[in-house]
Amino acid sequence: MDLKDAKSGRQKLDSALISGTLASLSGKWQNVEVLETVLSTNDLAIEKLASNAGVVAIVTADEQTKGRGRLQRDWSSPLGAGIALSIGCELSEFSFEPSTIPLAVGVTVVRALSTLGVKVNLKWPNDICFVADDGTLRKVGGILVQRTGDNIVIGIGLNVSLTQPELPTAIATSFLLEGFVVQRETLIAQIIFEIEQLANGTRSSWLTEYLNSCSTINSSVRVSAADGTSFEGLAKSISKAGGLEIEVAGDLVEVTVGDIEHLRHI
Ligand code: BTN
């Protein structure tokens, strides 16, 4: 079967390859809905959960035109060039503090990519980044976790083969631009498997890996508030709730939402 999109020339997602890879990984989460074009995979997963209590709803698409990112930003995924994946389930599938799920999911993406030979780091809370020798970060993906009642939807967006003009910001990158050819189907299946494994684990099953792969830890950072004020400090660790603990003039300050800027890594 020819899975090439005539207009873009890019390969469309091969759902049989996703299913086959999932079968070989032998997890319990085997059913993935593969769509051509969606507004937002997170929205679809939320809808599916609303009408099917207790299921694990997994949705991916070749193209996402109105995806949502963190902090009210947009996240689009051009046809055939990205991964837009959402996994919705009951919160009770996870056996650790819900507010830390966004961080832990970052670890699963790092793990999944390392099985394909791609090394990435995290920027708190869960940006997926390549790190240059001088400490500069280039963002290749992100995670948006939404809670609706007793359900949770985990949305993952990754720039697989986007070209420079297709990228939204100057600090964004894609695997292809970094020199990696990544098969989307394999990565999708591996991420699903890693998240299922994560759900069965405890906080200690991911925390050390998070701290080791998060470039924010031990970096000087600037935190800017919505009212225009800002402060600087040294990022030390992660709180019980998943906040970033920053040492400021000898005190520890916890940041729970928003974006931080890296200044220097020590
Ligand atoms: C970020 O802002 O860094 C997070 C981006 C997460 C986007 C993903 S793409 C798949 C899923 N569907 C959405 O609408 N958003 C998430």
Side-chain angles (χ1 to χ4, degrees), residues 40-42 64 67-70 75 84-86 127 139 142-144 155-157:
S40 156
T41 54
N42 264 27
Q64 176 173 262
R68 275 176 289 116
R70 289 180 56 243
W75 188 281
L85 169 68
S86 296
D127 283 353
K139 178 168 171 171
I143 295 160
L144 174 70
I156 295 155

Side-chain angles (χ1 to χ4, degrees), residues 17-232:
L17 187 51
I18 299 177
S19 312
T21 312
L22 277 172
S24 70
L25 290 167
S26 308
K28 278 202 245 134
W29 296 358
Q30 293 283 333
N31 293 323
V32 184
E33 185 169 4
V34 182
L35 298 163
E36 202 157 306
T37 300
V38 298
L39 295 173
S40 156
T41 54
N42 264 27
D43 287 353
L44 281 178
I46 289 169
E47 276 169 32
K48 281 171 81 105
L49 285 176
S51 50
N52 296 286
V55 297
V56 177
I58 309 180
V59 185
T60 190
D62 252 315
E63 179 181 41
Q64 176 173 262
T65 55
K66 251 189 172 320
R68 275 176 289 116
R70 289 180 56 243
L71 308 171
Q72 271 45 285
R73 296 182 187 130
D74 298 332
W75 188 281
S76 294
S77 210
L79 190 75
I83 288 178
L85 169 68
S86 296
I87 299 175
C89 61
E90 285 183 356
L91 202 46
S92 57
E93 291 275 343
F94 287 83
S95 40
F96 52 87
E97 177 68 35
S99 64
T100 61
I101 293 174
L103 278 62
V105 172
V107 173
T108 66
V109 176
V110 173
R111 284 178 185 164
L113 279 162
S114 83
T115 69
L116 305 184
V118 182
K119 177 167 174 18
V120 289
N121 282 66
L122 298 167
K123 173 178 181 255
W124 182 87
N126 52 20
D127 283 353
I128 316 294
C129 296
F130 286 94
V131 187
D133 290 344
D134 68 357
T136 315
L137 302 182
R138 296 183 301 278
K139 178 168 171 171
V140 73
I143 295 160
L144 174 70
V145 176
Q146 295 180 268
R147 267 179 77 169
T148 53
D150 291 337
N151 292 329
I152 188 160
V153 172
I154 297 165
I156 295 155
L158 291 161
N159 300 330
V160 176
S161 58
L162 278 78
T163 57
Q164 199 72 54
E166 289 174 308
L167 291 169
T169 63
I171 61 137
T173 189
S174 67
F175 295 122
L176 195 63
L177 288 170
E178 299 294 326
F180 296 101
V181 175
V182 168
Q183 188 175 57
R184 291 186 300 158
E185 292 86 349
T186 314
L187 183 52
I188 288 169
Q190 191 71 41
I191 291 172
I192 294 168
F193 176 72
E194 298 288 353
I195 294 179
E196 183 191 336
Q197 303 304 301
L198 172 81
N200 298 325
T202 58
R203 177 181 169 91
S204 58
S205 70
W206 57 266
L207 184 63
T208 306
E209 246 172 299
Y210 182 87
L211 295 171
N212 287 335
S213 27
C214 180
S215 318
T216 308
I217 304 300
N218 290 329
S219 285
S220 295
V221 295
R222 181 180 298 124
V223 182
S224 303
D227 64 5
T229 59
S230 67
F231 65 88
E232 293 179 15

